[in-house]
Amino acid sequence: MPILRHDLLSGGHPVELITAWVSVPDLSVRPDGQRYSYLRGGPDHHLVRYEATDGSFAADITVDRDGLVVDYPGIARRVGVSAVDQG
């Protein structure tokens, strides 16, 4: 994720990217528009919104102060993280 590369943990401006999506099993490559926006944060965690630019998916992703995912709703949650770290 481009959270650190585009300085989103400092409240940077929303970032739109076109990435490559590899479809399985046919392995075709398709463009995938993505938008990342800083929502809020604290000393130990930040909330960043991910949106597909076509409107098909959105999620508010919690990351730690290093930009590593703590909670990606419906996708993954880091194991062994205390409630304080999750905000």
Side-chain angles (χ1 to χ4, degrees):
M1 292 191 309
I3 291 171
L4 295 178
R5 184 174 354 138
H6 292 283
D7 203 25
L8 287 175
L9 296 186
S10 298
H13 298 290
V15 175
E16 286 197 18
L17 305 167
I18 296 177
T19 63
W21 173 264
V22 180
S23 178
V24 176
D26 66 336
L27 300 179
S28 63
V29 179
R30 301 177 186 143
D32 182 48
Q34 303 178 350
R35 180 181 306 111
Y36 294 87
S37 305
Y38 180 83
L39 298 178
R40 66 179 176 276
D44 295 323
H45 71 280
H46 302 272
L47 196 62
V48 175
R49 172 164 287 225
Y50 163 81
E51 300 171 274
T53 56
D54 67 3
S56 63
F57 181 79
D60 294 344
I61 305 167
T62 302
V63 298
D64 66 15
R65 65 179 153 220
D66 296 318
L68 299 174
V69 173
V70 173
D71 185 33
Y72 197 136
I75 306 288
R77 176 175 282 218
R78 189 185 312 171
V79 176
V81 176
S82 70
V84 172
D85 290 336
Q86 294 180 23

